[in-house]
Amino acid sequence: MKLYLDPGHGGSDPGALGNGIQEKDIVLDIALRIRSILLNDYENVQVNMSRTNDSTVSLSQRTDQANSWGADYFLSIHCNAFNGTAQGYEDYIHSNLSSSSPTAGYQDIIHSEVTQVNQLQDRGQKQANFHVLRETVMPALLTENGFIDNSHDAALMKDPSWRQRVAQGHVNGLEKAFSLKRKPDENVGVVYKVIAGAFKSKDNADSRSTLLESKGIESIVNTVVISGETWYRVQAGAFSIRENAEKRLVEVQHAGIQDAYIITENSNTNQVQTSGYSILGQTFLSPVQMNEYVKTINPQAIEIAQYYHALGTYYGIRGDIAFAQAMHETDFLRFTGIVHSSQNNFCGLGATGPDNPGASFATPEEGVLAHIQHLYAYASTNSLPGKYDLVDPRFDLVQRGSASTWTELNGKWAVPGTNYGQSILDLYGRMITAAIDNLNRILGVIE
């Protein structure tokens, strides 16, 4: 199923305004949550979005792109406004469609699912001659998720948990309407434990636990026997969702503890796996969020985050963490080391000293491509996908699959580099914090 997801307005067009918030921000957040749920939880779903950041996109650009892509369904997310007194949820299909049309059937299903969870007055199912409903060749629906100038509805919009429920309601409707299949739950019985250090001395473990407590992070000390030796392990949380464990890992690292890691335990098999952030995976931060963060440190930084996002997505590499690695290597694109900016070498490929500043690439995009390909060599044993030529001059020098996580790059990418991966993850954690703070500032929300 190919879904074209359209967060309304954006860029120079804020949409509806009220109660200190803008429609373009609210609907983008809901749409990104819809995409995340669909891609993470469902099989055989493709999502294309009219915008993933605060950019200006015309109505014709939205419908032309959906039509040329061959989308199966067009879903446009909006908020309403009137005079401060109106409130509630409503959705629209095109005015020339009958109640027996397939599009009307999809509307029936999605309307029912969204109104079950959104805590809004149900204003009904409607029809209109909106551009995105008229000019799309596939079934299309436009949802109006509350009135932004109404104090009741706006208070809900400011709540991230409400936006998540609304996103889930849309997904529930799409699941039923298109018979989407959920991915098999491979993590039943899996617990992700954040370990903030392991010590042979209980006093040292207790000191680490006390440090965490002083930073507002709860922890316990567990005793484990490894190869006949007793160790005292400081545990800073246990989670059933890996993303939550990763967030706690970042908090622990921000507290000054760089030797923290995640243990994956399966209660069904008694298997234990120690890991950090995987190099392979989905890119979460947008190019705008990445570029904005770097410019808070280096206002003259060139914008290359779009290449990390696009190429990371193509190769299945965490493009946002790769971007953090580039910022670490280049001193936030100031190039204060032996590599010069003209080389477009953002990860120090081949650089060994003043007499050998490493590889050079023709364009910034080619330099990012080489970086992503080099990470792919470390993280995967699969053949390199064929869309792009191999531009990494050191690809064949890597022991394929020898580093599946960023911390496993220690001593490989940087020598001795005992905290190399941790430094990258610490920088990535700061990028996440900045992105969350900026979103809260935009929405006027304190979580």
Side-chain angles (χ1 to χ4, degrees), residues 323-336:
F323 182 80
Q325 183 184 21
M327 298 308 103
H328 174 74
E329 289 279 353
T330 64
D331 189 19
F332 297 95
L333 298 173
R334 290 179 290 212
F335 292 92
T336 54

Side-chain angles (χ1 to χ4, degrees), residues 87-101:
Q87 60 179 316
Y89 168 85
E90 59 196 26
D91 46 45
Y92 291 84
I93 60 174
H94 192 254
S95 51
N96 68 359
L97 294 170
S98 71
S99 59
S100 60
S101 66

Side-chain angles (χ1 to χ4, degrees), residues 57 103 130-131 176 222 236 265 280 291-292 364-365 409 416 431:
V57 186
T103 301
F130 297 143
H131 176 97
K176 289 188 176 182
N222 293 321
E265 292 188 355
L280 298 175
N291 284 327
E292 284 182 346
E365 183 176 11
L409 293 176
M431 289 167 57

